[in-house]
Amino acid sequence: MGNSINISGYLGRKARYIEPPVGSCDADAQTFITAAGITDATQIAALCQLVVDLKAGGVWNDLNALYPFVGGTATTHSYNLKNPVLYQIAWFGGVTHNTNGATFNGINSYGNTGYNESLIETSSNTHRSVYDRSTLADSRCQIGVANGPYNGSYQRNYIYTNYSSNYYMDCYDNLDNYGRLTGANGGSNAFWLHSRTSSASGAMKAYKNGVFLKQSTQTVYGIQPILVTYIGALNLNGSLHEPTFHNLASASMGNGLSAAQITAYYTALQTFQTTLGRQV
């Protein structure tokens, strides 16, 4: 926006003066843009609109970490849009960073978020999401953490978008049929989200592109993992496990979201990805 002449002030005081342009970007978006060093005009506009849309949809306050993977570098992709000074990702292994987001090598690559949900969330109030741009089945984890015996304690919170053409989403289940939601994925290139909003039966729900897929049939059973969440792999007892080779264009963690919030979240995020030319 250019400078403007205040005509009323000119006429009233017989002296012309120039008003500075009024900023149009949300302050929280600008904080991220400055911290991450984003300079591309299209990316800046997309980020500004994303934050405005998330706030208008009532989603913003329930996000603890949102990684928009914008800017095309390991550094810009490491920052948390919700609060750039918290939960910055440390990248390991062969992660490729470009304008499409972060692409993992399926061997030794992952991002350590430093996000320990047991210190931040409650077991009855959580969500995880990833925006996956890949289609091939890799039977690997896109975001997650688990501690205790892998097939025993079940202290875990994760998303697998394409495990033999099925999705798997787990949240604190002591038995697989308590907190695990699974089904045919219909293609993994999508926005995937699971949300738990209470400890009641049916409160754990899975969504694809904002559309409800399935809900749990049991009350919450189990406890939260006490380790940090990995992106691009599962943090299993503090070790890298089942790293993906998919390309992710965003990921988030935070409080449980209602159906209306999830619809608003998908709409806002899809607008963002479309502006950047990487929507699926």
Side-chain angles (χ1 to χ4, degrees):
M1 181 183 298
N3 293 332
S4 60
I5 300 175
N6 187 316
I7 298 299
S8 62
Y10 170 69
L11 295 175
R13 290 193 289 272
K14 309 300 182 183
R16 182 170 57 188
Y17 64 94
I18 306 297
E19 290 184 337
V22 178
S24 59
C25 190
D26 178 274
D28 288 309
Q30 188 59 59
T31 297
F32 173 87
I33 290 164
T34 300
I38 306 297
T39 58
D40 180 87
T42 299
Q43 295 171 2
I44 290 172
L47 287 163
C48 294
Q49 189 63 52
L50 176 61
V51 174
V52 168
D53 290 344
L54 291 173
K55 289 183 177 181
V59 180
W60 181 255
N61 288 339
D62 285 315
L63 299 172
N64 291 330
L66 169 56
Y67 304 100
F69 297 153
V70 64
T73 71
T75 298
T76 60
H77 289 175
S78 70
Y79 283 97
N80 170 14
L81 176 60
K82 180 62 186 290
N83 188 338
V85 303
L86 294 177
Y87 317 126
Q88 186 173 0
I89 297 173
W91 300 108
F92 296 92
V95 185
T96 299
H97 299 276
N98 56 34
T99 55
N100 285 327
T103 304
F104 302 86
N105 67 10
I107 301 170
N108 66 344
S109 61
Y110 67 99
N112 183 333
T113 65
Y115 186 95
N116 183 335
E117 65 184 89
S118 69
L119 304 177
I120 306 159
E121 303 174 5
T122 66
S123 61
S124 59
N125 190 19
T126 183
H127 89 267
R128 296 290 179 271
S129 81
V130 292
Y131 193 100
D132 193 338
R133 299 183 68 252
S134 302
T135 59
L136 296 177
D138 68 350
S139 300
R140 306 296 181 89
C141 185
Q142 278 65 51
I143 183 171
V145 57
N147 63 275
Y150 182 54
N151 291 309
S153 177
Y154 296 107
Q155 299 168 29
R156 61 198 191 188
N157 194 345
Y158 61 59
I159 296 176
Y160 287 65
T161 65
N162 203 332
Y163 195 101
S164 300
S165 297
N166 291 299
Y167 68 85
Y168 282 83
M169 304 189 194
D170 276 59
C171 187
Y172 321 136
D173 60 340
N174 240 25
L175 298 170
D176 282 346
N177 63 337
Y178 274 39
R180 169 173 289 179
L181 302 178
T182 184
N185 68 10
S188 57
N189 53 332
F191 175 56
W192 297 91
L193 182 146
H194 75 63
S195 172
R196 185 187 288 282
T197 54
S198 80
S199 60
S201 172
M204 162 67 170
K205 299 178 180 180
Y207 292 81
K208 178 183 180 182
N209 289 338
V211 177
F212 169 76
L213 296 174
K214 184 177 281 190
Q215 68 186 34
S216 61
T217 58
Q218 302 287 342
T219 58
V220 62
Y221 197 99
I223 62 175
Q224 294 169 278
I226 58 173
L227 302 171
V228 299
T229 297
Y230 286 178
I231 293 175
L234 178 69
N235 178 2
L236 177 60
N237 292 322
S239 298
L240 177 67
H241 189 69
E242 295 184 336
T244 187
F245 58 72
H246 282 194
N247 167 230
L248 303 182
S250 80
S252 72
M253 303 176 284
N255 296 333
L257 303 173
S258 68
Q261 286 177 301
I262 291 166
T263 297
Y265 190 2
Y266 172 65
T267 300
L269 191 61
Q270 188 68 356
T271 298
F272 173 75
Q273 306 292 10
T274 300
T275 300
L276 298 180
R278 60 187 194 183
Q279 77 280 5
V280 295

